[in-house]
Amino acid sequence: EVVVQCSGASQQPVAAGNAAAIIFSLALLLVFLFLAAQYESWSTPFSVLLSVPLAMLGAGLATMLRGFDLNIYMQIGLVMLIGLSAGSAILIVEFAKAEREGGLSVVDAAEKAALLRFRPILMTAFSFILGVIPLVIATGAGANSRVSLGTAVFGGMFVATLGGVFLIPLLYVVVQKTAEKLGGKPRNSATSSRLIRPISRPSRTSVRMRQSPLWRRIRTPSAISAGSANSKSRCMTETTGEASPCSRSPLIRSAWV
């Protein structure tokens, strides 16, 4: 009977078992819950998370081209790619959701969001991609770990950026149309803001002023008519430099308005 036992670095994946799958599942679940709380919707986060497999595909292709295996450093890079690729998708989905609530159609909202967010996505993604190039070409002691991590992140972000600007709007259209067929159209935020208006309450100073006898005496119809007739003559002294009732009392000056 032949018994095969693993030791050293080969024993660690065997001892860990399916821990990698559990970690990836928890990472996806955490991102989904945060997005659901941000968008206040259970369907919109799917248009963001469905772009994550594109980043995983890019990381796998880059790792295979360089002949690396699925080590612990590449797994760390895959967990990083979940958040990085989701961040790029959020830029499009959040703007498209706001435009859809503003009254645009699903296709028009996705198209407008993709056009307006195209430059910020490229600037953010390529600044990160250029920043991990030293990890991809690292040499010296401990270079294998840096190269594995940098290769996975570099390939994943490169493919997710180039394909995401075209795929994410399409995913939003599919997910949003499916959600509206099942749950109805979203409420128009512009219409709701016109229907629901905040009621402004008067300040304490204005309330005390309106309750004073002087204010009631000034605001009587006779005082207002007399003031409106004589306001021009009483304020003419301001041009000559003399003190006038209009310049002395802000309360009386406001009564003539």
Side-chain angles (χ1 to χ4, degrees), residues 8-80:
S10 301
Q11 186 182 5
Q12 296 178 1
V14 177
N18 58 349
I22 297 176
I23 292 174
F24 293 147
S25 301
L26 291 177
L28 289 173
L29 179 62
L30 186 63
V31 173
F32 175 80
L33 293 178
F34 272 106
L35 293 176
Q38 177 182 356
Y39 295 131
E40 297 181 355
S41 172
W42 294 106
S43 59
T44 306
F46 285 105
S47 57
V48 176
L49 293 179
L50 289 177
S51 63
V52 174
L54 193 63
M56 300 296 175
L57 176 63
L61 291 177
T63 304
M64 290 176 57
L65 291 177
R66 301 200 66 178
F68 297 148
D69 56 349
L70 185 61
N71 51 29
I72 185 63
Y73 301 103
M74 182 183 175
Q75 295 177 12
I76 294 175
L78 294 179
V79 175
M80 291 176 56

Side-chain angles (χ1 to χ4, degrees), residues 62-150:
T63 304
M64 290 176 57
L65 291 177
R66 301 200 66 178
F68 297 148
D69 56 349
L70 185 61
N71 51 29
I72 185 63
Y73 301 103
M74 182 183 175
Q75 295 177 12
I76 294 175
L78 294 179
V79 175
M80 291 176 56
L81 285 174
I82 295 176
L84 293 173
S85 60
S88 299
I90 287 174
L91 295 176
I92 297 179
V93 174
E94 184 175 2
F95 192 86
K97 182 176 182 295
E99 292 295 328
R100 175 57 177 160
E101 293 177 352
L104 291 181
S105 63
V106 179
V107 178
D108 293 339
E111 183 181 358
K112 185 176 181 180
L115 291 175
L116 294 180
R117 297 301 182 182
F118 180 76
R119 187 188 302 177
I121 289 176
L122 292 184
M123 292 175 59
T124 304
F126 278 101
S127 62
F128 179 83
I129 291 173
L130 295 176
V132 300
I133 288 180
L135 295 177
V136 178
I137 60 177
T139 57
N144 291 332
S145 60
R146 296 194 295 271
V147 170
S148 298
L149 178 61

